[in-house]
PDB file of all heavy atoms in Angstrom:
ATOM      1  N   SER A  55     -15.796  -9.723  -9.300  1.00 95.00           N
ATOM      2  CA  SER A  55     -14.624 -10.292  -8.663  1.00 95.00           C
ATOM      3  C   SER A  55     -14.188  -9.403  -7.484  1.00 95.00           C
ATOM      4  O   SER A  55     -13.100  -8.809  -7.485  1.00 95.00           O
ATOM      5  CB  SER A  55     -13.505 -10.454  -9.681  1.00 95.00           C
ATOM      6  OG  SER A  55     -13.911 -11.277 -10.744  1.00 95.00           O
ATOM      7  N   LEU A  56     -15.081  -9.360  -6.480  1.00 98.00           N
ATOM      8  CA  LEU A  56     -14.791  -8.531  -5.310  1.00 98.00           C
ATOM      9  C   LEU A  56     -14.803  -9.358  -4.064  1.00 98.00           C
ATOM     10  O   LEU A  56     -15.133  -8.856  -2.973  1.00 98.00           O
ATOM     11  CB  LEU A  56     -15.827  -7.370  -5.240  1.00 98.00           C
ATOM     12  CG  LEU A  56     -15.917  -6.462  -6.431  1.00 98.00           C
ATOM     13  CD1 LEU A  56     -17.112  -5.481  -6.227  1.00 98.00           C
ATOM     14  CD2 LEU A  56     -14.644  -5.652  -6.597  1.00 98.00           C
ATOM     15  N   ASP A  57     -14.481 -10.602  -4.161  1.00 98.00           N
ATOM     16  CA  ASP A  57     -14.545 -11.504  -3.035  1.00 98.00           C
ATOM     17  C   ASP A  57     -13.237 -12.086  -2.504  1.00 98.00           C
ATOM     18  O   ASP A  57     -13.182 -13.179  -1.963  1.00 98.00           O
ATOM     19  CB  ASP A  57     -15.531 -12.664  -3.401  1.00 98.00           C
ATOM     20  CG  ASP A  57     -15.042 -13.492  -4.554  1.00 98.00           C
ATOM     21  OD1 ASP A  57     -14.053 -13.042  -5.238  1.00 98.00           O
ATOM     22  OD2 ASP A  57     -15.663 -14.545  -4.816  1.00 98.00           O
ATOM     23  N   THR A  58     -12.180 -11.279  -2.769  1.00 98.00           N
ATOM     24  CA  THR A  58     -10.837 -11.766  -2.307  1.00 98.00           C
ATOM     25  C   THR A  58     -10.288 -10.832  -1.236  1.00 98.00           C
ATOM     26  O   THR A  58     -10.663  -9.675  -1.112  1.00 98.00           O
ATOM     27  CB  THR A  58      -9.869 -11.817  -3.502  1.00 98.00           C
ATOM     28  OG1 THR A  58      -9.751 -10.499  -4.081  1.00 98.00           O
ATOM     29  CG2 THR A  58     -10.366 -12.793  -4.571  1.00 98.00           C
ATOM     30  N   ILE A  59      -9.385 -11.370  -0.501  1.00 98.00           N
ATOM     31  CA  ILE A  59      -8.612 -10.605   0.534  1.00 98.00           C
ATOM     32  C   ILE A  59      -7.160 -10.603   0.107  1.00 98.00           C
ATOM     33  O   ILE A  59      -6.532 -11.657  -0.035  1.00 98.00           O
ATOM     34  CB  ILE A  59      -8.775 -11.296   1.920  1.00 98.00           C
ATOM     35  CG1 ILE A  59     -10.222 -11.438   2.303  1.00 98.00           C
ATOM     36  CG2 ILE A  59      -8.015 -10.458   2.970  1.00 98.00           C
ATOM     37  CD1 ILE A  59     -10.445 -12.252   3.590  1.00 98.00           C
ATOM     38  N   GLU A  60      -6.627  -9.411  -0.097  1.00 98.00           N
ATOM     39  CA  GLU A  60      -5.264  -9.269  -0.671  1.00 98.00           C
ATOM     40  C   GLU A  60      -4.377  -8.421   0.234  1.00 98.00           C
ATOM     41  O   GLU A  60      -4.851  -7.490   0.854  1.00 98.00           O
ATOM     42  CB  GLU A  60      -5.331  -8.657  -2.062  1.00 98.00           C
ATOM     43  CG  GLU A  60      -6.192  -9.427  -3.022  1.00 98.00           C
ATOM     44  CD  GLU A  60      -6.465  -8.618  -4.314  1.00 98.00           C
ATOM     45  OE1 GLU A  60      -6.484  -7.380  -4.258  1.00 98.00           O
ATOM     46  OE2 GLU A  60      -6.618  -9.280  -5.383  1.00 98.00           O
ATOM     47  N   ASN A  61      -3.097  -8.776   0.233  1.00 98.00           N
ATOM     48  CA  ASN A  61      -2.118  -7.972   0.909  1.00 98.00           C
ATOM     49  C   ASN A  61      -1.868  -6.686   0.127  1.00 98.00           C
ATOM     50  O   ASN A  61      -1.755  -6.731  -1.100  1.00 98.00           O
ATOM     51  CB  ASN A  61      -0.784  -8.693   1.112  1.00 98.00           C
ATOM     52  CG  ASN A  61      -0.935  -9.966   1.946  1.00 98.00           C
ATOM     53  OD1 ASN A  61      -1.703  -9.965   2.949  1.00 98.00           O
ATOM     54  ND2 ASN A  61      -0.272 -11.055   1.570  1.00 98.00           N
ATOM     55  N   THR A  62      -1.687  -5.579   0.795  1.00 98.00           N
ATOM     56  CA  THR A  62      -1.354  -4.341   0.093  1.00 98.00           C
ATOM     57  C   THR A  62       0.159  -4.148   0.164  1.00 98.00           C
ATOM     58  O   THR A  62       0.875  -4.816   0.930  1.00 98.00           O
ATOM     59  CB  THR A  62      -2.037  -3.116   0.741  1.00 98.00           C
ATOM     60  OG1 THR A  62      -1.616  -2.994   2.121  1.00 98.00           O
ATOM     61  CG2 THR A  62      -3.531  -3.284   0.687  1.00 98.00           C
ATOM     62  N   GLU A  63       0.678  -3.244  -0.698  1.00 98.00           N
ATOM     63  CA  GLU A  63       2.143  -3.067  -0.792  1.00 98.00           C
ATOM     64  C   GLU A  63       2.763  -2.595   0.509  1.00 98.00           C
ATOM     65  O   GLU A  63       3.906  -2.882   0.795  1.00 98.00           O
ATOM     66  CB  GLU A  63       2.455  -2.109  -1.945  1.00 98.00           C
ATOM     67  CG  GLU A  63       2.166  -2.669  -3.327  1.00 98.00           C
ATOM     68  CD  GLU A  63       2.547  -1.698  -4.404  1.00 98.00           C
ATOM     69  OE1 GLU A  63       3.042  -0.595  -4.075  1.00 98.00           O
ATOM     70  OE2 GLU A  63       2.384  -2.062  -5.593  1.00 98.00           O
ATOM     71  N   ASP A  64       1.972  -1.793   1.272  1.00 97.00           N
ATOM     72  CA  ASP A  64       2.539  -1.278   2.541  1.00 97.00           C
ATOM     73  C   ASP A  64       2.309  -2.173   3.713  1.00 97.00           C
ATOM     74  O   ASP A  64       2.594  -1.783   4.876  1.00 97.00           O
ATOM     75  CB  ASP A  64       1.950   0.111   2.795  1.00 97.00           C
ATOM     76  CG  ASP A  64       0.417   0.062   3.095  1.00 97.00           C
ATOM     77  OD1 ASP A  64      -0.184  -1.018   2.910  1.00 97.00           O
ATOM     78  OD2 ASP A  64      -0.155   1.086   3.442  1.00 97.00           O
ATOM     79  N   GLY A  65       1.831  -3.388   3.496  1.00 98.00           N
ATOM     80  CA  GLY A  65       1.662  -4.368   4.591  1.00 98.00           C
ATOM     81  C   GLY A  65       0.269  -4.432   5.167  1.00 98.00           C
ATOM     82  O   GLY A  65       0.010  -5.102   6.142  1.00 98.00           O
ATOM     83  N   GLY A  66      -0.688  -3.663   4.551  1.00 98.00           N
ATOM     84  CA  GLY A  66      -2.046  -3.690   5.031  1.00 98.00           C
ATOM     85  C   GLY A  66      -2.820  -4.780   4.356  1.00 98.00           C
ATOM     86  O   GLY A  66      -2.231  -5.768   3.859  1.00 98.00           O
ATOM     87  N   LEU A  67      -4.146  -4.645   4.312  1.00 98.00           N
ATOM     88  CA  LEU A  67      -5.026  -5.692   3.804  1.00 98.00           C
ATOM     89  C   LEU A  67      -6.153  -5.039   3.016  1.00 98.00           C
ATOM     90  O   LEU A  67      -6.827  -4.129   3.601  1.00 98.00           O
ATOM     91  CB  LEU A  67      -5.559  -6.567   4.954  1.00 98.00           C
ATOM     92  CG  LEU A  67      -5.924  -8.006   4.624  1.00 98.00           C
ATOM     93  CD1 LEU A  67      -4.685  -8.784   4.222  1.00 98.00           C
ATOM     94  CD2 LEU A  67      -6.552  -8.697   5.873  1.00 98.00           C
ATOM     95  N   ARG A  68      -6.404  -5.498   1.800  1.00 98.00           N
ATOM     96  CA  ARG A  68      -7.562  -5.036   1.039  1.00 98.00           C
ATOM     97  C   ARG A  68      -8.597  -6.123   1.048  1.00 98.00           C
ATOM     98  O   ARG A  68      -8.379  -7.259   0.553  1.00 98.00           O
ATOM     99  CB  ARG A  68      -7.169  -4.649  -0.392  1.00 98.00           C
ATOM    100  CG  ARG A  68      -8.318  -4.238  -1.232  1.00 98.00           C
ATOM    101  CD  ARG A  68      -7.913  -3.663  -2.614  1.00 98.00           C
ATOM    102  NE  ARG A  68      -7.410  -2.326  -2.504  1.00 98.00           N
ATOM    103  CZ  ARG A  68      -6.117  -2.074  -2.581  1.00 98.00           C
ATOM    104  NH1 ARG A  68      -5.232  -3.006  -2.767  1.00 98.00           N
ATOM    105  NH2 ARG A  68      -5.727  -0.771  -2.483  1.00 98.00           N
ATOM    106  N   ILE A  69      -9.745  -5.811   1.593  1.00 98.00           N
ATOM    107  CA  ILE A  69     -10.859  -6.782   1.730  1.00 98.00           C
ATOM    108  C   ILE A  69     -11.918  -6.459   0.697  1.00 98.00           C
ATOM    109  O   ILE A  69     -12.529  -5.372   0.747  1.00 98.00           O
ATOM    110  CB  ILE A  69     -11.439  -6.688   3.153  1.00 98.00           C
ATOM    111  CG1 ILE A  69     -10.350  -6.891   4.220  1.00 98.00           C
ATOM    112  CG2 ILE A  69     -12.571  -7.666   3.361  1.00 98.00           C
ATOM    113  CD1 ILE A  69     -10.736  -6.362   5.599  1.00 98.00           C
ATOM    114  N   GLY A  70     -12.153  -7.376  -0.220  1.00 98.00           N
ATOM    115  CA  GLY A  70     -13.141  -7.149  -1.249  1.00 98.00           C
ATOM    116  C   GLY A  70     -14.552  -6.937  -0.644  1.00 98.00           C
ATOM    117  O   GLY A  70     -14.896  -7.519   0.392  1.00 98.00           O
ATOM    118  N   ALA A  71     -15.349  -6.141  -1.339  1.00 98.00           N
ATOM    119  CA  ALA A  71     -16.669  -5.812  -0.829  1.00 98.00           C
ATOM    120  C   ALA A  71     -17.546  -7.029  -0.651  1.00 98.00           C
ATOM    121  O   ALA A  71     -18.483  -7.064   0.197  1.00 98.00           O
ATOM    122  CB  ALA A  71     -17.354  -4.799  -1.780  1.00 98.00           C
TER     123      ALA A  71
END
Side-chain angles (χ1 to χ4, degrees):
S55 299
L56 301 174
D57 59 351
T58 59
I59 305 173
E60 303 171 328
N61 298 322
T62 61
E63 291 183 359
D64 64 354
L67 208 63
R68 177 172 285 104
I69 303 160

